[in-house]
Amino acid sequence: MELLVRYLDRSNSISSVTTPDVVKEEKLRDDLRYYFMSPCEKYRARRHKPWKMGVQILKIVMITTQLILFGLNNQQVVSYNEETTMAIKNLFLKGYSGVDEDDYCVAVYTQHAVYDSLFYVLDQYSQLVQLSVGPISYAEDEDGKLLPLEICKEYYKKGSAEPSDEVYDIDAQMESVCMSLDPKSAQQWRTLNSSFYNLDFYRLIDIKITLQLKGINLQTVRSRELPDCYSFYITITFDNQCHSGKVKIFLDIDAKSSRCRGWKISGTAQKNTQYLLVFDGFVILVCLTSAVLCTRSIVLAVRLLQRFSRFLRENYNRKVCEDDQSEFLNGWYVLVIVSDILAIIGSILKMEIQSKSLTSYDVCSIFLGTSTLMVWVGVIRYLGYFQKYNVLILTMKAAFPKVLRFCCCAGMIYLGYTFCGWIVLGPYHEKFEGLSLVAGVPVLPAER
Amino acid sequence: MELLVRYLDRSNSISSVTTPDVVKEEKLRDDLRYYFMSPCEKYRARRHKPWKMGVQILKIVMITTQLILFGLNNQQVVSYNEETTMAIKNLFLKGYSGVDEDDYCVAVYTQHAVYDSLFYVLDQYSQLVQLSVGPISYAEDEDGKLLPLEICKEYYKKGSAEPSDEVYDIDAQMESVCMSLDPKSAQQWRTLNSSFYNLDFYRLIDIKITLQLKGINLQTVRSRELPDCYSFYITITFDNQCHSGKVKIFLDIDAKSSRCRGWKISGTAQKNTQYLLVFDGFVILVCLTSAVLCTRSIVLAVRLLQRFSRFLRENYNRKVCEDDQSEFLNGWYVLVIVSDILAIIGSILKMEIQSKSLTSYDVCSIFLGTSTLMVWVGVIRYLGYFQKYNVLILTMKAAFPKVLRFCCCAGMIYLGYTFCGWIVLGPYHEKFEGLSLVAGVPVLPAER
Amino acid sequence: MELLVRYLDRSNSISSVTTPDVVKEEKLRDDLRYYFMSPCEKYRARRHKPWKMGVQILKIVMITTQLILFGLNNQQVVSYNEETTMAIKNLFLKGYSGVDEDDYCVAVYTQHAVYDSLFYVLDQYSQLVQLSVGPISYAEDEDGKLLPLEICKEYYKKGSAEPSDEVYDIDAQMESVCMSLDPKSAQQWRTLNSSFYNLDFYRLIDIKITLQLKGINLQTVRSRELPDCYSFYITITFDNQCHSGKVKIFLDIDAKSSRCRGWKISGTAQKNTQYLLVFDGFVILVCLTSAVLCTRSIVLAVRLLQRFSRFLRENYNRKVCEDDQSEFLNGWYVLVIVSDILAIIGSILKMEIQSKSLTSYDVCSIFLGTSTLMVWVGVIRYLGYFQKYNVLILTMKAAFPKVLRFCCCAGMIYLGYTFCGWIVLGPYHEKFEGLSLVAGVPVLPAER
Amino acid sequence: MELLVRYLDRSNSISSVTTPDVVKEEKLRDDLRYYFMSPCEKYRARRHKPWKMGVQILKIVMITTQLILFGLNNQQVVSYNEETTMAIKNLFLKGYSGVDEDDYCVAVYTQHAVYDSLFYVLDQYSQLVQLSVGPISYAEDEDGKLLPLEICKEYYKKGSAEPSDEVYDIDAQMESVCMSLDPKSAQQWRTLNSSFYNLDFYRLIDIKITLQLKGINLQTVRSRELPDCYSFYITITFDNQCHSGKVKIFLDIDAKSSRCRGWKISGTAQKNTQYLLVFDGFVILVCLTSAVLCTRSIVLAVRLLQRFSRFLRENYNRKVCEDDQSEFLNGWYVLVIVSDILAIIGSILKMEIQSKSLTSYDVCSIFLGTSTLMVWVGVIRYLGYFQKYNVLILTMKAAFPKVLRFCCCAGMIYLGYTFCGWIVLGPYHEKFEGLSLVAGVPVLPAER
């Protein structure tokens, strides 16, 4: 930036002669000086009102409000899913303590306990409607027929020869036996296919029970919105593939939002939703304005740069160096534009969700969240206009590469330690059991 | 302060001539110099005994003593409330583990368990007197009549049409059905309104049981003080508004101190209390003295400033700059006066509480606590009189704005992170569930 | 030390003339220079072998060995006491979970549970010999008579008038009713004084059961040492003084080592003990030597100082300044002497304990521990002889007062925060409940 | 390195004369300069392609891949062992909570509970085959005979005289009574040697039950590998040696991999294993290449040093100083060679394990882990070629001795604190119970 500064400074000293060329040069100098001013100085110089800054402040307020509204809504959905998961685990798993161990729900150690847990699932399933507190019921297919429970057991095949009493003879091939149970006849499950429930534990790999339930999130009814219905795809796995004498029981739930059938909800209006849609539209408008203003600023800056470089080339036969060029491309504007685009996409997704035509909360929250993060980080730019903050920001800029370099060196040692610790200490200490544990990276569970 | 310093220094060099005007100037110089001395130097210069400092030291000792006495008393009340809460939860909640989960006390997952918990409350209530270890009994109204237990269930209204077996037909309107149970006839609750206990779970929003008990804190009797009586307003809520299959049971207690009725306590004297009241009076006296002394110092300082500025205006035609003016307003004196006022209000409240005419422990403790905090912070001022400490304090003063500026920048990023983390990671990880959790702010429970 | 240094430096330049006086001065200079040498330089200068340093190294090894031996022995006693405490709590407390809550063992909330817990204690006591796994039995008095169990209940006195059904009439006076139960007739406790077991809960303050058992620590028999016998003074308290509806049950055990009676242990020799006694004696000898050597060094230094100051006074008429004087009093020697004295006292106590004539493990361990701490800290002195370490130590010396000053300021704010946090937030958050908790000081339990 | 630098610099200035001697000198200079270049500069100077660097990068990738493959395999074995341990503890220990307390599994406090736990072990053992979920069965000796369960109880001998009712008379000598139980007749254990089960608790030291089971890790069958069989040597100890009234029950399992007998597994191929063996062979090849290249570099460097020192001796009669000599021995090369040797040994061990002729996972993982750690640390060297990183590395080199020195001082104080804290506070606070706990060193459990 030295050349630029020198150029601007010199301009003040030799401004006595006023040929047309000098006028043009003076004009350029003025424009350049104006370009590098802060909003405050611009106002003082040309009475230019800081529209852009105003839009940004308005945007911060609106985007944050929108995010909080969406988050609160989202939280309700999440808590419904969580509570239903909890309720289903408590209904179907015998001896469930309320907390999952490691990754499985319950572990059993005796043949008797395996049978007990298995029959408990079937018993609870057959009495579901009398048991459950919530409006959870058997799911139906398109024709309104109740979907059956599927129970499959996977075995290693028996070897060819008839095994003697002591010798276990198995084949590496696996075979699978399944059975399905209609909800209506579920009460008589004991009498149907009773031979199915004899398990050869030494060959057994796993038992999988898959069933499908449906539920309804009535919370929204209170705020006069239409409720969401859910289908729960439940898989209960008795996992014996380790053959260690410990059978781990897993219960996985996959919740999908679906159209409500079999429910008649009267008295809900869409008023609230309409206000929200209007608000979202306004947010999109503000973001568009902000993006347009920033694009315009970038375009103007590029044009100014072209004028300046042409001037230098013609009059002094010098090129604008790269450092000076980069001064013209304001990184903050790019940040604002990116955040605006994200916010607009997020808002559109939000409107779709609000009007129940989409259910991808996750994608929407990533867009809205990232844009809000960027908007807040963008505030730092305005702090940079105050002299003293600027020093701070410049210092941080200078220190950054050194810190990065140090992290790089430390990273190498860290990687070596991670691999070595995992392999050498892994078998002896819990803290070194998995690669991610040694590395200290917390693994996010797929779905709580 | 430069002007001031220069002025004071110059005074020493040209003090040879002694016209009346010079005498006056010399007087002012002396007063100014004296004003900026530490107590120690003042004593050496004019044998002025540091009364103010003595009063401050006495105040620290007395206020701290008073705070500890009040705190110990307060702790007794708090522990009584806590233990009673615990006892009531253990009495009325079936399967209460002794610790609240998240914010609710117990969660149940089956219809059977809901009925069990509900009937358990009623059974325990009807046998209360035979069960409870402490002197907890049914509350009475003004006329001595026992107050009844209220039990309300809130429903979504049924839809207009008669619902078929499979179709759930509800209205967004809510309706509420209540019943009250007299303690005397509580034993026969099963026979009274037995139809009330049939719950339509798919429509049920919540069940609220409100009851009122009374207790007595007899601890104080041992120290010969009159005991406090308490009314406990208990609300037990069976919360099904999420309809997720998990009914959360809340138990909230609102304790209010009240006049003891139905108890005759003989043999308690008020001696202890009288000594305490005298002590409190003495504290108020000391604080008043301290406040008066400090106010006087401020007044004197302002007068001195006026004299100094008039002198400068007349003789040198210069104004005292703002920096120098602020030197005359001693911030420490303001701190002391504020803390004195708080301490006086707190002490008066404490006396009222002691004489059982007020029960607002909270307000009183805020006043007393804040004043004690200020008094101790005020001690730092006296450390500032020692040369070396002063350097420390000045360094801290200088570094403060930089630290603040850094916090400001970090705060922006932090805010962005908080919103983004909450919305994006919230559904996947417990640590990001609530806004306050992401922000790392511990939420104070309303009442333990 | 400047004067001293200058003096020593000058000595080298003007040593040409050799009058008797000069010889004497030269001698003093040599002695002074020698005095401030490190052991290594001393060896090079006068072939003086570093006996003192050798003794110190030997001392470190011996004292650490002794401490570890004593500690291992101590640990055995501690673990016996702990396990017995655990066993007794599990025997006498109904529903004991294995961990104490806050400070009490168990809490009960109903009248029924209080009676149950009370009768459980008596039942278990009466069957003690058939129940306990360890050789725990009823204690006897001097004449061999079994000591009885004492059970006392404390009440508020009834008021004068006959109380009506609803009105509770009590007096602030307390009264106490006791009963004692002979171990032999303990089986019939239900029939004896059966009216005693009717408790008026509204007046009841507490019930105290005191009993005395004896046990024997047979662990030492395996290492051919005589075993220790123990008397356990057990107090079980049912605490209702808060009258909050929660009765807290405390169990306190006071263990005292006592002479073994009723046990005949054959085949134990005292060989091991004798070797230990010889070792302890040797430690005492080494410490004595070390103490004598250091005392001698101090005496020599003081004499040298006297010579030096006399010389300065006579020849130059100057006084040795205080800084230089303090250079002659070597703080390390003082540290060594103090640690030696502590080690000697500790060793003597240890010998007494070894020969079973004392049981004050605590006092002995304080003496031995402190002396070992000092001996290890003393090693830093030898590191100071290496040039580079010295810089480190000097830097730390210089920084110390600043750190202290900062702590002083911080301490004031901290004190204020502690008091304010306790009184204002105490009732709302667990972390601020007690003064010690706010201050962050962990309270050592009296006896685990 | 100053001499060297000076020498190299000077070379440029006086290179005008070109006698044969000068040519030789010029050659040496060139070689020296070339030797101290980075790979990048070497390439620019002599178009020397950086083979060595390429080999290193290939090595990093391959060794890390190998380590991860081995680690995943290892993890499977570890998890099988862990789960089996858990299963066995749950099968044989009555009231096992799933977590070990301190170091024992369960603690019992009454005679009745000891008998219960003991008989539970025998009952479960006799029904083992009907109980266990996994293919865990009684172990056999070489001849196929089932190995019996051994149960031993250790006592203090009775004293000579007949003890009276109250007097306990024991001898320090210990005696041991054993009994063995055949799996086949285990069902009648109650009738066999029934007198054995009368325990004199006051003399009892411990009861040891040793039994042997066998299991099979079928996990590998799914990936078409042969499964490993295991023998489990189980020791259950009822520990009463403290005689404190608390009997601690330990269960130790020693798992040994053994040949599978009594199992016929068909359909497993060794394909996967063969690919792995080829990969391992390739890793060995790469490591050998890398080691050879580095050795060659070291040899060349030593020769260059010899040439240089001879030249200096002959022409300038000066010796190469030690600092300059050490510049020629590249520490990185030594690191690479050591890591290569470790990797080769580790890979050979891994191949042996893969082909089921060895089971020492531990030794192999130490070799592989250490070599991987070294390889990653070695990457830092290449970072050193970039100017800016070099500064960082040099700074760290310079600061290292100071840090070490500080640690030394702190270490002394720390040692003193450790000993003192252990002995003085040990009996009063859990945190100071063991030496390792005070020192803050986590103790690795022998086998999870």
Side-chain angles (χ1 to χ4, degrees), chain A residues 101-102 104 108-112 114 154 156-161 166-174 201-206 239-248 401-402 404-435, chain D residues 64 67-72 74-76 78-80 82-88 90-91 124 128-137 140 146 216-219 221-222 224 262-268 362 365-370 372-373 376-377 379-380 383 388-389 392-393 396 442-448:
Chain A
E101 299 168 50
D102 282 337
Y104 55 92
V108 290
Y109 298 96
T110 60
Q111 296 183 10
H112 189 73
V114 171
E154 209 172 8
Y156 286 115
K157 259 192 186 162
K158 266 192 187 173
S160 52
E166 289 298 305
V167 179
Y168 301 110
D169 184 0
I170 65 171
D171 192 290
Q173 302 287 331
M174 288 177 275
F201 282 96
Y202 77 98
R203 294 194 298 141
L204 183 71
I205 298 170
D206 56 27
D239 178 9
N240 191 33
Q241 65 188 10
C242 191
H243 281 84
S244 62
K246 174 181 188 175
V247 169
K248 292 183 272 189
K402 278 183 198 165
L404 206 78
R405 231 172 286 138
F406 177 78
C407 289
C408 217
C409 272
M412 289 301 125
I413 298 174
Y414 180 67
L415 264 176
Y417 153 79
T418 303
F419 286 121
C420 184
W422 174 54
I423 200 80
V424 176
L425 297 177
Y428 302 109
H429 204 285
E430 230 168 30
K431 241 196 84 188
F432 294 91
E433 211 166 53
L435 253 184
Chain D
T64 308
L67 184 98
I68 289 173
L69 287 175
F70 181 68
L72 291 176
N74 205 356
Q75 216 169 21
Q76 232 175 28
V78 168
S79 83
Y80 174 75
E82 257 175 59
E83 290 194 4
T84 312
T85 303
M86 209 59 197
I88 288 174
N90 271 287
L91 274 184
Q124 295 287 94
L128 187 67
V129 182
Q130 287 86 52
L131 275 174
S132 172
V133 180
I136 292 171
S137 53
E140 301 147 4
L146 295 179
I216 183 165
N217 184 357
L218 279 175
Q219 281 173 302
V221 172
R222 306 189 78 187
R224 308 269 165 200
W263 280 83
K264 271 176 70 184
I265 317 279
S266 45
T268 56
D362 296 2
S365 64
I366 289 171
F367 277 108
L368 284 183
T370 318
T372 309
L373 175 59
W376 279 98
V377 168
V379 173
I380 291 178
L383 293 178
K388 289 192 172 169
Y389 279 93
L392 202 82
I393 290 168
M396 272 155 66
V443 188
L444 286 182
E447 184 83 34
R448 251 174 322 161

Side-chain angles (χ1 to χ4, degrees), chain A residues 200-218:
Chain A
D200 270 350
F201 282 96
Y202 77 98
R203 294 194 298 141
L204 183 71
I205 298 170
D206 56 27
I207 307 168
K208 269 208 173 67
I209 302 171
T210 50
L211 53 107
Q212 206 175 328
L213 302 178
K214 60 175 194 185
I216 183 166
N217 184 357
L218 280 175

Side-chain angles (χ1 to χ4, degrees), chain A residues 321-348:
Chain A
C321 66
E322 261 185 41
D323 252 29
D324 281 358
Q325 284 194 8
S326 74
E327 282 296 316
F328 281 89
L329 183 70
N330 196 328
W332 293 115
Y333 288 149
V334 179
L335 185 80
V336 169
I337 293 172
V338 171
S339 100
D340 284 336
I341 293 170
L342 291 177
I344 290 169
I345 299 175
S347 298
I348 293 171

